[in-house]
Amino acid sequence: MGRGARPEEDATAGARHENPAFEEEAEMIDAIIPARGGSKGIPRKNIRPLAGFPLLEWIVTAALHASLDHVVVSTDDPEIASVAGRCGALVVMRPADLAGDDVGDLPVLRHALLALGGRPSVVVHLRATSPFVRAGEIDAVVQTFACVPALTSMRSVLVAPGHPRKMYRDGFVVDRWPTLMPYTGPAHAANSPRQLLEPVWLAAGFIDVFRADRVLFGSDLEGPVIGRWIAPESRVVDLDTERDWLDAEAQARVHGWHPGHPTLR
């Protein structure tokens, strides 16, 4: 549970301290939720009401019910900052050059850690666009990460719908006609039975965990040893279009979900 959350509402309080590996490996655990104001596919989606509640409120509430030290929203937008603060999150304002379409996760997470001035050992990366995350799932991923010190990161994934060894990229043009080149080069296997190919996984963007030292000083977030956590496919949503939004809203209303609902703890 975030230290600002209400203990009587927390369904997982104390989980962190009941596991010795948690204490030894993760002295401080901070969640960072990037939420910029310039979303294109669905304008202002981070604060648009989903089933009656700002989208951002869903993941902030789940994080506050998890066993975390701080829940932080990184944004460039004053309105988003206001909503995040009302929901109980700490807010880090980031500059415009860290809020563009082409900015990756690493500089945003690094800026938030430096702005906070603290030094957690574990960073939990959450997203407003994953509103149906359970607090208990956040704790489960972090606990697993803490119990396996060799891991440099933990990614939430789904079984990939297609295999990269059966894919192509654009090739050169022959007599004004486009051609294809095997995406994986010599490993290409378009004519091989699917059952003979190795399993592949798609990043779900549900719950990801990184070592803070890699966030602060590394050239990449993941490092060489990436733990796998299979996300619940039924609650992984992709909010890029109005159709996506309507589907997620229908799912929430059918189940009667709201931020803090027992199903999402």
Side-chain angles (χ1 to χ4, degrees):
M1 178 181 65
R3 290 181 179 172
R6 296 180 288 278
E8 68 273 17
E9 294 183 357
D10 179 50
T12 57
R16 177 182 172 197
H17 301 291
E18 290 167 5
N19 188 328
F22 240 123
E23 284 297 307
E24 181 179 348
E25 186 66 18
E27 294 86 359
M28 185 181 295
I29 305 166
D30 287 357
I32 300 178
I33 306 168
R36 68 189 184 100
S39 52
K40 298 293 192 297
I42 304 176
R44 308 295 292 165
K45 69 180 174 183
N46 285 315
I47 53 175
R48 177 174 168 174
L50 180 76
F53 300 88
L55 180 65
L56 182 61
E57 184 174 351
W58 292 78
I59 191 62
V60 169
T61 301
L64 288 171
H65 281 93
S67 298
L68 303 170
D69 289 283
H70 303 102
V71 176
V72 182
V73 171
S74 166
T75 187
D76 63 314
D77 187 277
E79 190 176 3
I80 293 175
S82 177
V83 171
R86 290 200 305 271
C87 292
L90 299 175
V91 176
V92 168
M93 298 300 298
R94 61 174 127 142
D97 63 344
L98 289 180
D101 293 340
D102 58 348
V103 178
D105 294 327
L106 176 56
V108 173
L109 299 182
R110 180 174 291 168
H111 172 267
L113 284 189
L114 292 172
L116 288 169
R119 185 67 179 274
S121 58
V122 172
V123 174
V124 182
H125 182 196
L126 301 173
R127 298 160 180 85
T129 49
S130 290
F132 304 143
V133 172
R134 291 175 177 167
E137 290 168 334
I138 298 171
D139 286 337
V141 175
V142 174
Q143 284 198 32
T144 301
F145 188 64
C147 290
V148 188
L151 295 179
T152 52
S153 62
M154 180 84 77
R155 282 285 190 188
S156 57
V157 295
L158 297 170
V159 174
H163 202 291
R165 292 174 63 188
K166 288 180 174 286
M167 296 181 181
Y168 299 85
R169 61 183 175 85
D170 285 338
F172 45 86
V173 176
V174 175
D175 292 335
R176 295 181 294 179
W177 195 262
T179 66
L180 300 172
M181 297 185 68
Y183 189 76
T184 55
H188 189 63
N191 297 312
S192 296
R194 174 183 54 82
Q195 293 85 349
L196 297 182
L197 300 180
E198 68 280 6
V200 291
W201 303 91
L202 176 69
F206 201 68
I207 304 166
D208 297 320
V209 182
F210 308 111
R211 303 282 177 200
D213 282 349
R214 292 205 70 86
V215 177
L216 288 170
F217 307 114
S219 59
D220 66 271
L221 285 170
E222 295 178 324
V225 188
I226 306 165
R228 182 190 74 192
W229 187 81
I230 302 175
E233 187 173 0
S234 64
R235 285 184 285 109
V236 174
V237 298
D238 198 8
L239 295 177
D240 289 329
T241 67
E242 282 295 325
R243 181 72 262 171
D244 296 335
W245 189 276
L246 293 174
D247 288 346
E249 191 157 65
Q251 185 176 6
R253 293 194 185 280
V254 163
H255 293 289
W257 290 344
H258 56 77
H261 188 276
T263 299
L264 302 179
R265 291 194 184 180

